[in-house]
């Protein structure tokens, strides 16, 4: 019974713990509930973007977006 409650509660916290914003000049990602991390990626640093579709994601009409950035100099 405890695992069933966790299966419902964990996705809710996970969804609230992650957010993104597509701005005019950058992509901002925020993660964390108690300890927050914010990542700002200027579009000039993005090398390429790919999407991944697992079987369950395809069934739900979802995908995972992977953003590859240029290395720091």
């Amino acid at each position: 019974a405890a695992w069933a409650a966790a299966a419902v509660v964990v996705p809710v916290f996970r969804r609230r713990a992650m957010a993104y914003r597509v701005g005019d000049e950058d992509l901002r990602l925020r993660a964390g509930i108690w300890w927050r991390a914010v990542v700002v990626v200027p579009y000039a640093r993005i090398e390429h973007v790919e999407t991944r579709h697992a079987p369950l994601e395809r069934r739900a009409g979802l995908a995972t977006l992977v953003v590859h950035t240029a290395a720091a100099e």
Side-chain angles (χ1 to χ4, degrees):
W3 63 268
V8 172
V9 172
V10 170
V12 171
F13 280 119
R14 188 172 190 187
R15 182 183 50 176
R16 290 184 181 192
M18 298 183 71
Y20 70 93
R21 183 181 71 82
V22 179
D24 292 334
E25 298 178 7
D26 56 27
L27 174 65
R28 293 177 186 257
L29 308 166
R30 186 189 74 203
I33 295 175
W34 289 286
W35 292 275
R36 296 246 171 157
V38 177
V39 177
V40 179
V41 182
Y43 293 133
R45 304 284 297 178
I46 296 175
E47 289 188 342
H48 68 279
V49 178
E50 63 183 80
T51 56
R52 297 180 183 164
H53 306 272
L56 291 177
E57 289 176 324
R58 278 195 299 269
R59 188 172 184 95
L62 302 171
T64 299
L65 181 70
V66 181
V67 178
H68 297 273
T69 60
E73 293 181 25

